[in-house]
Amino acid sequence: METLSAFSSPPWPNPNPNSNPNFLSSRHPDDEQSEPQSDALDAISSWSLDPQEHTDYPVSNSNSGPAPSPIPNHNFNSTLSSSPESVSVSPWAPLSLYHLSFNQDFGCFATGTDRGFRIYNCDPFREIFRRDFDRGGGIGVVEMLFRCNILALVGGGPDPQYPPSKVMIWDDHQSRCIGELSFRSDVRSVKLRRDRIIAVLEQKIFVYNFADLKLLHQIETIANPKGLCEVSQVAGSLVLVCPGLQKGQVRVEHYASKRTKFIMAHDSRIACFALSQDGQLLATASTKGTLVRIFNTADGTLLQEVRRGADRAEIYSLALSSSAQWLAVSSDKGTVHIFSLKVNSGSVVIDKPRGSSDPNHSASSPSSSLSFFKGVLPKYFNSEWSVAQFRLLEGLQYMVAFGHQKNTVVILGMDGSFYRCQFDPVNGGEMTQLEYHNFLKPEAPF
């Protein structure tokens, strides 16, 4: 059995350096879990010399000048090229996209490709920087830490840059990996907070302290090939959500209060879920893909249920607005739906006014005109439907998040498409497209 190990080295970079006033620092919560016994460990962690502190990237300027000189990582033979043009692969060759994800505040997004990774700003849209590797270069997971220089990388594709069973901690100031977490099986996803690193495997989740890579908690799950896991981002309170051990079940870990809550969310397997920033609200969808349910994570209460459609669909992403007033859903049906929620940030059900004449009143999710037959006809006829929609190509995978401008959403496609759209909170209906870009085009940096 492998054991946790660490090399003698200077301290791991502080995720919340006081010397950097631009970093949105957060206080470390208490160590919620006692240290696991060594005979239960399934991973090895290590870090390299001279790690630097975290700093934020600017949003208004793309990365200027060439990358710093590459420093070889003793565990791998690959090095970082000084510029995208110097790689052996032609910059005009088409990219293969392996990974697409937003950062924690949805102001940036990251892509993993067959050559490396790229980071983009959402509003205004621009490529912030890219890192293309000399040989191989396949990156299957890229997890940002807000806008700072630290990222988590996992190799992917037929020619991975790193083993898919390792989480590599990349410091973009040094242009190299400064730490790693090694596992016995492939890593499905990684989640970061300023005080935690969460590695998600097929049937197990590991929670580490960011400051010293100490393993704090292990969680067993049902088969989780998508690497489903979400964590809250509010300072001082850590809430983690993952699949449970039964079909349709989600597990909620409240680390501050040391409580675990199991919620039977659906009859079918969990396909997707989203957690509010404060960890109080949870939106879930099953593999059936017709209904989305909103739960109170504290007690598991079902607060609201909305209907995407009548036929089966694969739900690709769910997103809760920062105010918990809106829910966005994308699926393989090619439509992004916006739903009006009847819950506030405190998870209390609110009856919203239905009048649309007052501009301060938002649209309510429409119900079927046959709702007066509630209790007689199937639940379908009393369903809450979306108030706004945006039509896309059917069958393509899209991710959605709420934009920083009011009543806007950002939609990312695995075909390289970037949409920013606006919805009418009063009248609903078809969303207005504000802009479109293809972030996979060679001329993307501008």
Side-chain angles (χ1 to χ4, degrees):
M1 179 66 70
E2 294 175 320
T3 59
L4 189 69
S5 65
F7 303 140
S8 176
S9 67
W12 181 256
N14 180 6
N16 308 296
N18 295 328
S19 60
N20 181 5
N22 294 321
F23 194 86
L24 302 176
S25 62
S26 61
R27 182 81 181 143
H28 291 260
D30 338 297
D31 289 336
E32 300 88 350
Q33 301 289 334
S34 58
E35 183 174 2
Q37 297 298 316
S38 60
D39 62 356
L41 299 183
D42 211 12
I44 297 176
S45 67
S46 64
W47 57 91
S48 55
L49 299 178
D50 300 326
Q52 297 180 356
E53 292 184 334
H54 302 187
T55 55
D56 287 341
Y57 286 105
V59 290
S60 57
N61 298 315
S62 59
N63 194 46
S64 58
S69 300
I71 303 174
N73 184 326
H74 65 275
N75 292 307
F76 302 97
N77 294 322
S78 57
T79 58
L80 180 70
S81 60
S82 60
S83 67
E85 289 73 24
S86 66
V87 296
S88 57
V89 179
S90 167
W92 300 100
L95 282 173
S96 295
L97 185 60
Y98 297 150
H99 173 86
L100 193 57
S101 64
F102 289 97
N103 73 337
Q104 289 84 352
D105 66 5
F106 308 105
C108 297
F109 67 95
T111 64
T113 73
D114 56 346
R115 301 179 204 167
F117 63 92
R118 300 180 181 186
I119 306 296
Y120 300 83
N121 193 66
C122 291
D123 188 14
F125 173 82
R126 67 185 303 116
E127 181 179 305
I128 301 177
F129 70 91
R130 66 174 66 181
R131 298 292 177 253
D132 289 345
F133 298 98
D134 282 334
R135 294 176 295 277
I139 298 295
V141 174
V142 185
E143 177 73 1
M144 299 179 66
L145 180 58
F146 290 90
R147 294 179 182 271
C148 83
N149 55 299
I150 300 297
L151 302 97
L153 306 177
V154 179
D159 194 8
Q161 176 70 9
Y162 308 112
S165 60
K166 289 188 175 184
V167 176
M168 309 303 297
I169 309 300
W170 176 273
D171 182 351
D172 203 64
H173 280 173
Q174 300 188 56
S175 298
R176 68 172 182 134
C177 292
I178 59 170
E180 66 179 55
L181 297 167
S182 300
F183 302 93
R184 292 182 172 184
S185 58
D186 289 357
V187 178
R188 299 303 185 186
S189 70
V190 182
K191 299 296 176 182
L192 296 181
R193 279 173 49 109
R194 295 191 179 103
D195 54 5
R196 296 292 184 269
I197 301 174
I198 296 98
V200 184
L201 279 58
E202 179 86 20
Q203 291 185 294
K204 191 172 286 189
I205 294 175
F206 296 88
V207 181
Y208 295 88
N209 188 45
F210 208 132
D212 55 10
L213 293 187
K214 177 183 177 182
L215 180 61
L216 301 176
H217 193 200
Q218 298 178 61
I219 302 171
E220 293 187 1
T221 70
I222 196 172
N224 185 18
K226 293 183 179 180
L228 299 178
C229 181
E230 295 293 338
V231 291
S232 62
Q233 295 296 334
V234 173
S237 175
L238 172 57
V239 178
L240 181 151
V241 177
C242 63
L245 287 171
Q246 302 178 38
K247 180 179 67 174
Q249 184 187 69
V250 291
R251 173 174 179 160
V252 183
E253 291 289 337
H254 296 272
Y255 285 96
S257 58
K258 301 182 180 180
R259 292 185 302 108
T260 301
K261 180 67 182 178
F262 291 94
I263 302 173
M264 284 305 302
H266 300 272
D267 294 330
S268 305
R269 286 184 176 270
I270 301 296
C272 190
F273 49 69
L275 186 65
S276 61
Q277 292 280 302
D278 60 10
Q280 295 187 39
L281 295 179
L282 173 67
T284 67
S286 73
T287 52
K288 190 174 180 181
T290 55
L291 298 172
V292 179
R293 290 172 175 149
I294 314 298
F295 295 92
N296 178 335
T297 60
D299 58 13
T301 303
L302 175 62
L303 301 174
Q304 191 173 350
E305 180 180 275
V306 298
R307 179 172 291 275
R308 178 214 55 81
D311 52 345
R312 298 182 71 98
E314 182 176 359
I315 303 296
Y316 289 135
S317 73
L318 301 173
L320 293 162
S321 67
S322 58
S323 63
Q325 186 179 4
W326 306 102
L327 167 72
V329 181
S330 68
S331 73
D332 63 350
K333 296 300 181 181
T335 302
V336 171
H337 295 271
I338 304 294
F339 296 88
S340 176
L341 298 185
K342 296 188 175 79
V343 295
N344 63 16
S345 59
S347 303
V348 178
V349 177
I350 298 176
D351 292 324
K352 293 185 178 180
R354 294 185 177 271
S356 60
S357 58
D358 186 344
N360 294 321
H361 290 170
S362 61
S364 298
S365 297
S367 299
S368 166
S369 59
L370 297 178
S371 60
F372 56 86
F373 281 109
K374 182 179 180 181
V376 180
L377 295 177
K379 290 177 64 177
Y380 172 87
F381 294 103
N382 193 47
S383 299
E384 293 185 53
W385 299 81
S386 61
V387 299
Q389 307 81 32
F390 187 73
R391 315 291 173 178
L392 297 156
L393 293 176
E394 188 171 342
L396 287 177
Q397 185 171 351
Y398 295 95
M399 297 186 61
V400 62
F402 286 91
H404 287 189
Q405 294 187 33
K406 192 174 183 180
N407 303 326
T408 62
V409 293
V410 174
I411 304 168
L412 308 176
M414 288 297 288
D415 61 346
S417 56
F418 171 97
Y419 296 90
R420 197 164 62 87
C421 306
Q422 188 169 40
F423 62 92
D424 187 330
V426 176
N427 299 314
E430 293 292 328
M431 287 189 257
T432 302
Q433 179 179 314
L434 301 178
E435 60 180 314
Y436 168 83
H437 304 278
N438 189 320
F439 56 81
L440 292 182
K441 286 185 177 180
E443 62 270 22
F446 56 88

